Amino acid sequence: MTELAQFNFALPRWPLDDPRMSGFTDNIQRINGLAERTPGYLWRMLDESGPDAPKFPEHPTMTITLSVWRDLESLRRFTWNTLHKQFRLRRSEWFVPWDGPYLALWPVPDGHRPNGGEAMAMLDKLHRQGPTAAVFGTEALMPEAA
């Protein structure tokens, strides 16, 4: 069996403590809690600043999420069929548009929990090669891909 690793990042338009970011920051715990209660959710990296977290030295304010889900359908349901959808659709209000992939998905063996190095390598592979069976991006997560 395999599970699905998910890595995404975003560059905030303003510092996270800026009132213009409050629509996002005031709901982080709420949305993370919702993810943790969603069927198919397995794990999320909790320490975004720790030594195993993905690093963007040129953008120290980058926000990241690295998680593992039972399968693509579980992640897709969380993304588009829960309150998370409202925040996903408002991404451009809080985050700078990114030229290139900002989300990478890849199969991992059951029980595997990726680290930042693996996440960055998969994102780089997606950027260089485009979507493959080994790593794919936002296009696979969109509702019309269902």
Side-chain angles (χ1 to χ4, degrees), residues 28-97:
I28 293 172
Q29 289 183 342
R30 181 180 183 195
I31 297 302
N32 285 343
L34 175 61
E36 292 167 3
R37 294 186 305 276
T38 298
Y41 168 89
L42 299 173
W43 172 86
R44 174 175 57 86
M45 178 176 277
L46 297 177
D47 186 0
E48 293 181 17
S49 63
D52 289 336
K55 301 290 188 242
F56 292 86
E58 67 281 10
H59 298 291
T61 61
M62 196 73 78
T63 65
I64 65 110
T65 302
L66 179 57
S67 61
V68 175
W69 293 78
R70 182 180 59 234
D71 53 31
L72 180 61
E73 194 52 43
S74 298
L75 177 57
R76 189 180 288 133
R77 275 194 304 273
F78 166 70
T79 302
W80 298 109
N81 296 351
T82 70
L83 179 64
H84 179 274
K85 177 181 178 178
Q86 293 178 24
F87 295 91
R88 175 71 174 79
L89 293 175
R90 294 178 63 192
R91 180 181 172 93
S92 64
E93 290 180 38
W94 302 304
F95 300 102
V96 175

